[in-house]
Amino acid sequence: MEIYVWKGDITSIQADAVVNAANSSLMGGGGVDGAIHRVGGPKIAEECRILKLKRYPNGLPTGQCTLTSGGQLPAKYVIHAVGPVWKGGEFGEASLLESCYRNILQLAQERAFESIAVPSISTGIFAYPKELATPIAIQTVLDHKDQFPRKLALICFDKDTKDLYEKTLKELGVNFKEGIQSF
Ligand code: ADP
């Protein structure tokens, strides 16, 4: 697997799939979720509505993910993943965040996706501390490095997140590409 680190808006990325930091309701929200629905158009929301009705009447559980089309996004699909809300760290947040990344990667493997782009799940509105979320994201990705996707972009919305990702990857001796020119 080739790992890319890029600071920018995930809705602009051309990939087999981009990951949405969704919430259980699948009915949209702020942050990545808001941006994906705004740019991707109403088709994604309609697919989410049907999934909620038919498969997740009680909401998509935390740590799990589900797939819709990419609507008008440049990406073909959206993987909607629900990360944990940070409640201080004593409520299984770390294992739920790990499950979230693991389930995303498993879906990518099942679908044989060549390329996916993933935001820093839970570190926005869900308030998971970035210093704690980053090693979980990276370690879980590394555990799947011999499987699909062939290319995985870690998308950072701010410089702090990008610096943290790059520092963690360097500490682990992992090669990565800065930017998404060849993504
Ligand atoms: P959560 O509710 O899981 O915390 P958010 O969407 O609020 O999800 O934030 C997750 C991360 O994504 C945060 O680090 C946030 O800064 C970042 N982010 C917000 N909007 C975008 C975007 N359009 N593209 C990429 N990352 C984004």
Side-chain angles (χ1 to χ4, degrees):
M1 181 194 289
E2 286 178 356
I3 296 176
Y4 294 70
V5 178
W6 186 64
K7 184 166 102 56
D9 185 339
I10 200 163
T11 62
S12 67
I13 295 189
Q14 204 167 358
D16 281 342
V18 293
V19 174
N20 181 14
N23 58 58
S24 289
S25 78
L26 294 174
M27 300 307 266
V32 177
D33 209 1
I36 282 183
H37 285 290
R38 208 161 38 242
V39 180
K43 184 160 185 277
I44 300 174
E46 179 56 14
E47 288 178 48
C48 282
R49 195 184 66 77
I50 292 166
L51 277 169
K52 169 118 199 310
L53 202 67
K54 300 206 165 148
R55 279 177 50 192
Y56 307 108
N58 300 317
L60 178 61
T62 304
Q64 294 191 24
C65 61
T66 192
L67 195 70
T68 67
S69 77
Q72 289 158 22
L73 291 171
K76 290 184 201 140
Y77 294 93
V78 178
I79 299 172
H80 303 264
V82 184
V85 175
W86 180 255
K87 295 177 188 159
E90 307 273 296
F91 293 86
E93 293 95 326
S95 68
L96 287 167
L97 188 63
E98 189 192 324
S99 300
C100 192
Y101 282 102
R102 211 177 37 238
N103 285 321
I104 291 164
L105 291 157
Q106 199 176 320
L107 184 57
Q109 167 70 10
E110 283 162 15
R111 291 275 175 158
F113 285 150
E114 288 290 329
S115 56
I116 71 171
V118 193
S120 177
I121 296 168
S122 285
T123 66
I125 295 160
F126 285 0
Y128 205 115
K130 289 181 199 297
E131 314 73 53
L132 302 180
T134 301
I136 295 174
I138 288 175
Q139 194 51 57
T140 314
V141 166
L142 293 179
D143 290 345
H144 287 74
K145 69 179 184 327
D146 298 327
Q147 303 179 8
F148 289 104
R150 304 269 184 237
K151 298 178 179 188
L152 183 139
L154 297 163
I155 308 303
C156 316
F157 211 46
D158 52 71
K159 188 171 180 300
D160 284 0
T161 307
K162 181 169 178 279
D163 290 348
L164 260 172
Y165 273 131
E166 293 188 346
K167 179 167 162 278
T168 307
L169 287 164
K170 280 178 190 157
E171 279 168 5
L172 292 168
V174 178
N175 287 326
F176 63 93
K177 296 188 177 175
E178 274 188 68
I180 47 165
Q181 290 80 3
S182 58
F183 186 65

